[in-house]
Amino acid sequence: MKGGEEREQERLLQDQAMENAVGILLRTGVLVAGAITFLGGMLYLARHGGEHFSYEIFRGEPADLRSPRGILAGLPSLQARSLIQFGLLVLIATPVLRVLLSVAAFARERDLLYVGITIIVLTILALSLFGVVP
Amino acid sequence: MTVLVLSGLILLGGVCAGLIGSLSGLGGGVVIVPLLTLVFGVDIRYAIGASLVSVIATSSGAAAAYVREGFTNVRAGMFLEVATTAGALSAAAIAGLVPATAIAVIFGLVLVSTVFVSLRGAEVVPEEEHADRLATRLRLNGSYPERPGRITRYFVQHVPGGFSLMFLAGVLSGLLGIGSGALKVVAMDMVMRMPLKVSTTTSNFMIGVTAAASAGVYLHRGYIDPGLAMPVMLGVLVGSLVGARILPRVHTRYLRIIFEVVVFVLGVEMIFNGLTGRIGG
């Protein structure tokens, strides 16, 4: 019985180390995303702040602001809206990276059941992010 | 209204939502969509896109602070995320077919029930002494520091029931652009009999991943407008960070009551405006 408790304790410590790494990743992701979005926002307001605009009618975004590939393609021209959208994309990617990190962490603990479970979650996220679901 | 003025006002609204959300513990996500649609007249699809993004920001920011305390059940969180992400993805996939008026009404109903869940308060659920077979196979049982120096073990129960409720939480998150934190806590605390502290932190941990599952779909569908999402996300982020910092020095009881009244009124207004076709009509 004592062996079981020790193993339990060890697992708890490993989980704790993993959570610390995850905490750092989440914080960094949010800060980087916030900084990029802020920069893009300043640029956007400096260029378009005086224009009139409302969101009352839904038009949908243009194609280059709809997909990771389109957003990345718009970056070199320093379009303000592309830059903001890139910041938001980093934000959406942060939890996805967290799940990816969990796959590695469970693999290191040789917890195959949870490697499998985490890969299912990762697959669902990838379906969404890469636009497989219409 | 010029873009500058509109962005400034929306930023201010986002700060308030983030502040109240983190102080009351109800999350700021539930008030973003009503605020944008009812006050600023924003189309509900743009509002949902902006709200989802801000939900990811607050969840990740708060989770980063929580994980250090060692309450989060990583395995339970990951296992249940299968349900929430599947629910969120399916809801986002069919959201385009659901009329905006129906979304407004469902939103209002969720707001009103959030208040009832909040009024119920933290009921003390008797701890289970026996391990459930499925929970043991899935290694969901855990332990947490109840007080400094006192580690308490707990046994997770009713896995299928909790899993189903999590799917529903994911559906609501994907359909309405909210975090569904209240429902996630109910699923873990009331149904799966996990300690409240573990349930709340694990729920916060899951919200970002759940929201990311529908945010991708909404991005591809053109619901996420950078000009709108920028002030919302930055405002909510600043508000929730400030809220977390001043939390120990604030009397949250009265604040919670005020917030419950606000959420209730917004809920009734969403239902009314949805039924009369003023939203999405």
Side-chain angles (χ1 to χ4, degrees):
Chain A
M1 201 59 219
K2 185 130 200 323
E5 246 168 55
E6 265 168 25
R7 224 179 309 134
E8 172 76 7
Q9 206 59 37
E10 195 182 316
R11 204 191 81 184
L12 217 65
L13 280 176
Q14 277 181 333
D15 281 0
Q16 199 60 44
M18 169 175 155
E19 286 173 40
N20 285 340
V22 165
I24 294 168
L25 170 86
L26 290 176
R27 187 170 295 237
T28 314
V30 171
L31 285 180
V32 170
I36 297 171
T37 308
F38 180 76
L39 272 178
M42 291 297 104
L43 210 59
Y44 173 67
L45 292 179
R47 287 180 189 164
H48 305 282
E51 292 168 16
H52 289 263
F53 198 77
S54 95
Y55 297 102
E56 281 171 32
I57 297 154
F58 181 77
R59 298 174 199 86
E61 299 308 307
D64 60 333
L65 293 177
R66 283 182 181 213
S67 66
R69 184 182 294 186
I71 294 167
L72 290 175
L75 279 184
S77 55
L78 273 185
Q79 289 280 330
R81 285 164 64 85
S82 299
L83 199 57
I84 297 175
Q85 209 74 330
F86 179 61
L88 301 180
L89 191 62
V90 172
L91 189 69
I92 297 172
T94 302
V96 183
L97 276 180
R98 191 213 107 182
V99 175
L100 197 64
L101 190 74
S102 302
V103 177
F106 285 129
R108 222 184 53 188
E109 292 180 26
R110 292 174 204 287
D111 189 338
L112 287 182
L113 176 65
Y114 273 86
V115 170
I117 288 174
T118 313
I119 286 176
I120 297 175
V121 176
L122 196 62
T123 310
I124 295 174
L125 291 172
L127 287 178
S128 165
L129 198 57
F130 295 109
V132 181
V133 175
Chain B
M1 214 183 293
T2 64
V3 169
L4 189 64
V5 175
L6 187 63
S7 303
L9 289 176
I10 292 175
L11 181 83
L12 210 65
V15 172
C16 292
L19 198 61
I20 304 169
S22 71
L23 288 178
S24 66
L26 287 177
V30 289
V31 292
I32 294 290
V33 173
L35 180 80
L36 290 176
T37 51
L38 299 173
V39 180
F40 293 101
V42 173
D43 183 278
I44 196 163
R45 282 160 283 192
Y46 281 138
I48 288 172
S51 172
L52 262 182
V53 171
S54 65
V55 163
I56 299 177
T58 48
S59 159
S60 303
Y66 280 136
V67 283
R68 270 178 285 127
E69 291 165 23
F71 297 135
T72 315
N73 186 328
V74 185
R75 281 182 174 75
M78 192 56 74
F79 171 67
L80 295 171
E81 271 165 9
V82 173
T84 62
T85 52
L89 188 70
S90 350
I94 61 150
L97 307 173
V98 182
T101 52
I103 292 183
V105 174
I106 296 170
F107 205 117
L109 292 174
V110 168
L111 289 178
V112 172
S113 24
T114 303
V115 174
F116 285 111
V117 171
S118 168
L119 285 176
R120 177 188 66 93
E123 209 171 287
V124 180
V125 183
E127 298 290 317
E128 275 302 328
E129 305 275 320
H130 304 287
D132 175 86
R133 267 182 62 194
L134 187 55
T136 308
R137 283 198 64 155
L138 288 165
R139 283 170 241 168
L140 298 178
N141 301 321
S143 49
Y144 79 110
E146 192 180 8
R147 292 192 300 270
R150 191 185 141 78
I151 304 278
T152 306
R153 292 183 59 95
Y154 56 88
F155 298 101
V156 174
Q157 309 291 319
H158 309 297
V159 178
F163 194 82
S164 317
L165 212 51
M166 282 295 178
F167 184 81
L168 180 66
V171 165
L172 292 177
S173 172
L175 194 64
L176 309 175
I178 59 175
S180 294
L183 188 54
K184 288 191 175 95
V185 172
V186 167
M188 284 186 277
D189 171 43
M190 295 296 288
V191 179
M192 301 176 77
R193 302 290 176 89
M194 290 161 69
L196 187 65
K197 257 185 187 169
V198 178
S199 304
T200 10
T201 51
T202 307
S203 153
N204 211 312
F205 205 59
M206 296 169 62
I207 286 172
V209 175
T210 310
S214 39
V217 175
Y218 284 132
L219 180 74
H220 285 276
R221 212 177 279 152
Y223 282 30
I224 298 179
D225 182 89
L228 179 70
M230 178 264 298
V232 174
M233 189 274 264
L234 291 177
V236 172
L237 188 58
V238 169
S240 61
L241 289 178
V242 172
R245 186 140 304 180
I246 61 172
L247 186 62
R249 280 171 281 141
V250 179
H251 290 283
T252 50
R253 216 183 119 219
Y254 297 106
L255 222 129
R256 207 183 161 99
I257 295 170
I258 296 169
F259 194 56
E260 280 162 358
V261 172
V262 170
V263 171
F264 187 80
V265 171
L266 287 176
V268 172
E269 198 134 328
M270 287 295 281
I271 295 172
F272 178 76
N273 283 357
L275 289 178
T276 53
R278 282 176 59 201
I279 290 179

